[in-house]
Amino acid sequence: MMELSNIIFLIVFVVFISVFVRNFSRIISNIKLGRDIDRSDRKADRWKNMFRVAMGQSKMTRRPVAGILHIIVYVGFLIINIEMIEIIIDGIFGTHRFLSTILSEGLYTFLIGSFEVLAILVLVACVIFLVRRNLIRINRFWNKEMTSWPRTDANLILIFEILLMSAFLIMNATDAMLVANSADHYTISFSDPVSQYFHFLFNGMENSTLILVERFAWWFHIVGILIFMNYVLISKHLHIFFAFPSTYFANLNNLGQFDNLESVTKEVKLMMDPNSDPFAAAPEGSTPPQSFGAKDVTDLNWVQLLNAYSCTECGRCTDNCPANHTGKLLSPRKILMDTRDRITEYVDNKRKGTEDTKSLLGDYITTEELWACTSCNACTDACPIELDPLSIILDMRRYLVMEQSAAPTELNMMFTNVENNGAPWQFPAADRLNWKDE
Amino acid sequence: MSELKVKTMAEFMAEGKEADILFWVGSAGSFDDRAKKITRSFVEIMNKAGVNFGVLGSEESSSGDAAKRSGNEFLFQMQAMMNIEVMNAYNVKRIVTTCPHSYNTLKNEYKGLGGDYKVQHHTEFIAELLSEGKLKVTGDLSGKKITYHDPCYLGRANNVYEIPRELIKSLGVELAEMKRSKRKSFCCGAGGAQMFKDPEKGQQDININRTEEALALKPDIIATGCPFCNTMMTDGVKSVNEGAAQVKDIAELIAENI
């Protein structure tokens, strides 16, 4: 028989999940605004990469402190979420600790016990993360692009997680006390290796007060998770979903290999073909060529946009960037953050029908940033989920050079030399062997 | 100065012969005064080992690396296709080069445009000569301290970290590692066509930062495997503490000790 509280739970649950599904699919359609890129090859390698890098966290531990703390939170989050099954079933059907009725006593004991141990570990890890960010003030969390919102975002996530874990432990603590008091409805004993140490907080409380606390913690925990899920969609924390596709669709080639633009290949082949007719009309049904390179987010490919949504702003890329390290404007993390901010703005304007005169290039990312990159791949190597800010930098340089002829003067001179004499310096090709006799 | 035996691919063809391997000299190796010495050292090594190699000479043209990385994909692909046409006409199968930028471009980026070659960096090639017994290290640099600067386009870009180190160690020297080495290596500041322009404004030039790190180890020699890194580190030593250490390519170290 459904009671009022079950009906309320069902409504709350359905509303939050529907909002989540709507907003999540909006993000997916935003990502699909990107140009096409074929990442359907090497499926086995892609799965392997995802298992190793995202599930296996293989790159996180390159920084041992952050890495190990992160693995605790990651494993904790994955496993404690099994508890969600029980909470949802209990919520809808008014059962209490449903899993205990279908699992063997040993297994249920083990599950709840391990949830508790993980919960306290996650809680402690999050406290340490807060201390690292705000008290120790680790450099990469205080770079220029880490303005008030990114910092608040990070702190909110950590506080959320601390509250959720606390609610879980308080729920178990009061539940166990009610079981000991033989209160109605509270008949299922379970292992409480951690929450038993929190009983002192509630000592001397009447059963009715304990029930109030237990119910409050239960509701706080589940509603908190539902809110958190939705919050993640507007937060840097989206990596908890997108780390997986990002590593699956990552560039698996040698880091030094940059893509060859196909549209350019066609034109160059035409230019070099002595039999081609330069005045020939475009064949019927052919699509007009896209612009070369990227000016705005819609010129980027969908993997680059997925990358932008996946970035959790940890700053390892920027921390390793030689340009950033020596005080230049460039920050690879900012490139990804800007891309996400711009796609959000672009889509909002579209939806509202507002005129949009901005673009990623210029309004968000300046040419000074783009020209500071040495293409050294320190950023892509450092990224724990193999995001590729360098490819965005390159695509924007391509736009600057091929659509706007806006390279720095020295580079234009270099281009001219290569065009005229096949070397970046002004030496004739005939002198290429002079070293032999010098 | 020793006489170098160098033949062009055109000369090979005129004699009706084929070279086993093409030595891609690269624009820096052909024209930059410092890099030309590296080119000569590597040829000395190949001469000594009796390698049957050819060069393209005036038929070689920029690999297009700098053009590509500064965004000029047109110019890159023009260069690539011209070079591929020339190399395919000579039926080139194997290439060795002293420049990691050419190495990366020829190895990874030409294959999509019709140029499929086995490409080696000169350190990989020298290591092969040594292991095949075609070359023997006779000199001994023991007592010297060397630190090795990983070129980005050899290391991170193509995962070649150990072979250059093994060559250095084969000279009996003490190899001192910088804290930022191998995959964590710090760029010299020349990649991505930075070599050809002034750096953006900042607190410090990248090559100074890297040179300071290298010199802190008090090495006798800073070794590297890239003509651009060589220029940047040489300039760096000049401005940080002139004469504090020599900057040398691994090819030079080997050539002096065989």
Side-chain angles (χ1 to χ4, degrees), chain A residues 254 256 258-261 265 326 328 371 373-376 381 397 410 422 432 435-436 438, chain B residues 1 27 36 40 60 62 68-69 73 77 104 109 153 156 158 183 191 194 197-198 200 203-204:
Chain A
N254 284 338
F258 291 10
D259 64 326
N260 294 329
L261 280 187
T265 311
T326 53
K328 320 288 191 286
W371 292 117
C373 173
T374 69
S375 75
C376 76
D381 178 72
R397 282 185 176 186
E410 304 119 298
R432 273 202 178 251
W435 53 267
K436 185 168 75 117
E438 280 173 6
Chain B
M1 187 159 294
S27 298
K36 281 195 263 187
R40 289 184 60 90
E60 190 184 284
S62 162
K68 186 178 185 78
R69 265 143 264 274
E73 182 73 8
Q77 293 202 12
N104 175 69
E109 291 165 352
Y153 275 87
R156 258 192 309 273
N158 287 292
R183 66 178 333 133
Q194 298 293 340
K197 62 183 263 299
D198 284 327
E200 275 57 37
Q203 290 142 7
Q204 194 184 31

Side-chain angles (χ1 to χ4, degrees), chain A residues 191-413:
Chain A
S191 77
D192 53 350
V194 176
S195 67
Q196 58 179 292
Y197 299 104
F198 293 97
H199 287 188
F200 74 93
L201 291 169
F202 313 103
N203 268 343
M205 281 187 185
E206 300 271 333
N207 274 1
S208 57
T209 323
L210 283 175
I211 291 175
L212 202 70
V213 175
E214 194 273 340
R215 283 292 89 192
F216 178 79
W218 187 92
W219 278 95
F220 187 92
H221 184 62
I222 180 64
V223 176
I225 286 174
L226 291 171
I227 293 175
F228 189 56
M229 263 174 72
N230 279 284
Y231 174 74
V232 163
L233 298 182
I234 57 156
S235 148
K236 77 186 189 75
H237 210 51
L238 202 42
H239 80 295
I240 61 174
F241 302 120
F242 285 165
F244 300 94
S246 269
T247 45
Y248 181 87
F249 293 117
N251 171 24
L252 298 182
N253 296 328
N254 284 338
L255 291 180
Q257 177 177 347
F258 291 10
D259 64 326
N260 294 329
L261 280 187
E262 256 176 69
S263 46
V264 171
T265 311
K266 263 185 239 156
E267 306 254 337
V268 172
K269 280 201 170 137
L270 212 64
M271 261 190 294
M272 291 177 71
D273 178 5
N275 299 320
S276 74
D277 174 7
F279 302 109
E284 216 156 304
S286 67
T287 45
Q290 296 172 318
S291 63
F292 297 117
K295 180 190 188 202
D296 206 352
V297 282
T298 46
D299 302 324
L300 295 170
N301 65 52
W302 60 266
V303 173
Q304 291 168 321
L305 298 184
L306 171 67
N307 278 189
Y309 277 108
S310 311
C311 173
T312 197
E313 299 164 19
C314 74
R316 292 188 189 198
C317 53
T318 295
D319 206 30
N320 283 290
C321 172
N324 189 276
H325 206 84
T326 53
K328 320 288 191 286
L329 266 188
L330 175 65
S331 161
R333 168 172 55 188
K334 179 177 171 293
I335 301 286
L336 289 173
M337 292 169 72
D338 285 344
T339 304
R340 178 172 175 174
D341 288 348
R342 172 59 192 154
I343 184 94
T344 312
E345 182 193 54
Y346 173 87
V347 174
D348 278 353
N349 284 337
K350 265 244 144 111
R351 208 174 7 244
K352 288 185 209 142
T354 335
E355 196 195 2
D356 190 343
T357 50
K358 286 190 181 171
S359 64
L360 183 61
L361 178 63
D363 294 303
Y364 286 80
I365 299 171
T366 61
T367 52
E368 182 177 340
E369 292 162 71
L370 296 172
W371 292 117
C373 173
T374 69
S375 75
C376 76
N377 266 305
C379 55
T380 56
D381 178 72
C383 181
I385 53 172
E386 308 206 313
L387 309 182
D388 189 359
L390 175 52
S391 71
I392 298 179
I393 295 173
L394 182 74
D395 280 340
M396 298 187 83
R397 282 185 176 186
R398 284 170 169 169
Y399 183 84
L400 284 171
V401 171
M402 291 191 285
E403 294 285 345
Q404 298 195 314
S405 303
T409 320
E410 304 119 298
L411 289 186
N412 277 330
M413 276 156 52

Side-chain angles (χ1 to χ4, degrees), chain B residues 6 30 43 68-69 78 99 102 116 124 126 152 213 220 226 240 249 256:
Chain B
V6 184
S30 304
V43 169
K68 186 178 185 78
R69 265 143 264 274
M78 293 280 286
C99 173
S102 298
D116 204 352
E124 295 176 296
I126 294 170
C152 302
E213 182 181 12
D220 301 293
C226 171
V240 175
D249 193 276
E256 286 161 13

Side-chain angles (χ1 to χ4, degrees), chain A residues 86-256:
Chain A
E86 181 169 72
I87 290 183
I88 293 165
I89 293 172
D90 286 353
I92 297 174
F93 300 105
T95 47
H96 185 63
R97 296 194 173 266
F98 171 75
L99 288 184
S100 69
T101 59
I102 56 161
L103 298 177
S104 71
E105 200 186 322
L107 183 58
Y108 191 71
T109 303
F110 172 77
L111 268 184
I112 301 293
S114 44
F115 294 164
E116 286 210 349
V117 171
L118 285 167
I120 192 74
L121 286 173
V122 170
L123 200 152
V124 171
C126 289
V127 171
I128 299 174
F129 277 146
L130 276 174
V131 169
R132 279 163 57 88
R133 270 185 189 267
N134 300 292
L135 300 179
I136 305 178
R137 284 184 163 237
I138 288 179
N139 270 338
R140 61 194 160 103
F141 302 131
W142 291 81
N143 292 77
K144 248 190 237 131
E145 66 271 20
M146 298 307 282
T147 48
S148 56
W149 165 245
R151 280 214 294 268
T152 312
D153 188 14
N155 286 329
L156 274 177
I157 292 159
L158 292 168
I159 291 165
F160 246 120
E161 289 179 13
I162 290 171
L163 290 177
L164 289 176
M165 293 305 117
S166 306
F168 175 71
L169 291 170
I170 288 169
M171 177 182 91
N172 278 1
T174 46
D175 192 335
M177 289 169 83
L178 286 161
V179 172
N181 295 350
S182 321
D184 284 349
H185 217 70
Y186 292 89
T187 51
I188 297 152
S189 54
F190 52 90
S191 77
D192 53 350
V194 176
S195 67
Q196 58 179 292
Y197 299 104
F198 293 97
H199 287 188
F200 74 93
L201 291 169
F202 313 103
N203 268 343
M205 281 187 185
E206 300 271 333
N207 274 1
S208 57
T209 323
L210 283 175
I211 291 175
L212 202 70
V213 175
E214 194 273 340
R215 283 292 89 192
F216 178 79
W218 187 92
W219 278 95
F220 187 92
H221 184 62
I222 180 64
V223 176
I225 286 174
L226 291 171
I227 293 175
F228 189 56
M229 263 174 72
N230 279 284
Y231 174 74
V232 163
L233 298 182
I234 57 156
S235 148
K236 77 186 189 75
H237 210 51
L238 202 42
H239 80 295
I240 61 174
F241 302 120
F242 285 165
F244 300 94
S246 269
T247 45
Y248 181 87
F249 293 117
N251 171 24
L252 298 182
N253 296 328
N254 284 338
L255 291 180

